[in-house]
Amino acid sequence: MHEKNVKYLTTGEFAKLCKVNKQTLFYYDQIGLLSPLFKNEKGYRFYSINQIDLFYVIDLLKTLGMSLHDIQQYTQNKSPESFLTLMYQQKDEIIKMRQEIEMKEKLIDTKIALVEESLQIDFDQITLQHLPEAMLYLSRNIENMSDDEFVEVVSEFIGEINEAKLDTGYPIGGITKREQVLKGEYSNYSFLYIEQPQPKEGYPYFQAVKGDFLIGYHIGEDQTIHHTYERLFAELERLDLTLGNYVFEEYIYDTVVKNDNEQYVTKIMMQVVRND
């Protein structure tokens, strides 16, 4: 029997305090997750103010992705020990979520910086720049691969990046060796790469050689990229430079920011040596 001087809450009042609709409370009662403290002879449901804390815990666990079935398992076997175990587990989940959010924030910051930087570039200009050392995560060797094999390697490489959380927001690029470039095989890449400003331990990296690079930009489809390479070679000769060991290509504008592939922009970075 319930004391008359104790204030109990109707379903509507309890739902208002919990900021949910009554149907949610009916459902929780139905599945044995959170039931009213008692029902009177007319079938009206009444809750105690003390049950609000349980509702908040249930709501918290739902927010963290815990299923109602798993929450129900806890509510049917409550104890201080099981509560502590549950809370420690959820704390670990929050730490993981925070780390993932921080990683995504860094990724977004990088993409913002790259696009903002691109808006200041004159894509018609070819410039000679000294680039600093950079660490790159590489795919396996892809020289002379068929189209089907190339697609397989791209899929494999993206899978590695996602699984190891190596997506830094930088574009995936291609490295072409000097001999391929001199033969006009501009798309016969040796490796795919993604820049790693803060390399993780335990992964193989390629340390890009710092030095002088002749940098130009190709606007349009890959099929016409030879025209931009011809311009770069002409500038190479004019400046009395020799092609170095590698050429790096990466998209500045692709399908993410442009709908028309005629407006795609590829950055070409030719490693060069000065003829002294």
Side-chain angles (χ1 to χ4, degrees):
M1 188 171 178
H2 299 279
E3 298 180 16
K4 293 183 179 180
N5 61 342
V6 177
K7 171 60 177 172
Y8 295 103
L9 305 172
T10 65
T11 302
E13 290 170 335
F14 192 74
K16 187 175 181 180
L17 281 176
C18 296
K19 297 182 179 178
V20 293
N21 56 47
K22 291 193 291 185
Q23 284 69 31
T24 297
L25 296 180
F26 292 151
Y27 181 64
Y28 283 2
D29 182 23
Q30 181 183 340
I31 64 175
L33 189 60
L34 173 62
S35 297
L37 198 62
F38 73 97
K39 299 176 185 177
N40 67 12
E41 62 278 3
K42 295 183 178 179
Y44 292 118
R45 305 156 183 255
F46 292 91
Y47 294 82
S48 164
I49 192 78
N50 296 326
Q51 290 179 286
I52 292 178
D53 193 35
L54 176 57
F55 176 87
Y56 285 160
V57 169
I58 292 169
D59 195 52
L60 170 64
L61 297 175
K62 274 181 57 184
T63 303
L64 294 174
M66 195 170 176
S67 71
L68 289 180
H69 176 268
D70 289 341
I71 299 172
Q72 182 188 42
Q73 293 300 304
Y74 164 72
T75 60
Q76 292 178 352
N77 299 278
K78 298 173 193 169
S79 72
E81 292 78 14
S82 62
F83 178 75
L84 282 175
T85 299
L86 183 61
M87 289 297 101
Y88 279 122
Q89 288 173 347
Q90 295 309 309
K91 183 177 179 179
D92 288 341
E93 288 299 315
I94 289 174
I95 291 171
K96 290 178 185 177
M97 290 168 62
R98 184 190 302 127
Q99 290 171 341
E100 289 180 2
I101 289 172
E102 288 173 353
M103 184 182 71
K104 289 176 182 177
E105 183 181 13
K106 289 179 182 177
L107 187 149
I108 289 171
D109 285 341
T110 298
K111 290 188 177 297
I112 288 172
L114 289 173
V115 174
E116 287 183 340
E117 180 184 345
S118 73
L119 295 174
Q120 309 303 316
I121 297 173
D122 182 351
F123 294 134
D124 293 326
Q125 292 293 314
I126 294 177
T127 58
L128 180 63
Q129 299 180 30
H130 186 83
L131 298 184
E133 205 170 73
M135 300 298 285
L136 311 175
Y137 181 73
L138 301 186
S139 70
R140 58 188 170 96
N141 192 289
I142 57 175
E143 286 177 36
N144 304 311
M145 280 192 167
S146 67
D147 289 345
D148 288 343
E149 289 173 322
F150 179 75
V151 170
E152 181 183 334
V153 171
V154 171
S155 177
E156 175 188 285
F157 186 57
I158 291 174
E160 291 172 5
I161 290 170
N162 290 335
E163 184 176 347
K165 293 182 170 44
L166 295 174
D167 187 356
T168 57
Y170 285 87
I172 292 176
I175 302 175
T176 313
K177 291 181 180 176
R178 169 188 169 88
E179 49 266 37
Q180 269 72 44
V181 175
L182 291 177
K183 289 189 291 186
E185 298 177 357
Y186 307 124
S187 297
N188 188 5
Y189 304 119
S190 297
F191 302 96
L192 301 176
Y193 72 87
I194 183 169
E195 189 172 339
Q196 300 289 301
Q198 296 177 317
K200 293 183 178 180
E201 291 185 8
Y203 294 95
Y205 294 105
F206 172 80
Q207 188 167 314
V209 181
K210 65 180 178 181
D212 295 326
F213 286 80
L214 198 62
I215 299 177
Y217 300 88
H218 173 66
I219 302 173
E221 298 178 294
D222 292 342
Q223 290 86 338
T224 60
I225 202 168
H226 61 278
H227 295 306
T228 303
Y229 271 94
E230 289 167 4
R231 291 179 58 225
L232 284 162
F233 276 118
E235 188 67 6
L236 200 73
E237 185 175 353
R238 187 185 74 81
L239 296 173
D240 193 25
L241 300 170
T242 299
L243 181 65
N245 293 327
Y246 302 103
V247 174
F248 300 84
E249 282 185 19
E250 56 190 46
Y251 275 121
I252 298 296
Y253 294 158
D254 58 8
T255 185
V256 174
V257 296
K258 293 288 186 179
N259 288 323
D260 186 355
N261 54 11
E262 290 289 343
Q263 296 179 322
Y264 289 0
V265 178
T266 306
K267 184 178 183 179
I268 303 172
M269 295 166 280
M270 277 186 169
Q271 187 182 18
V272 296
V273 179
R274 298 175 187 270
N275 296 326
D276 295 328

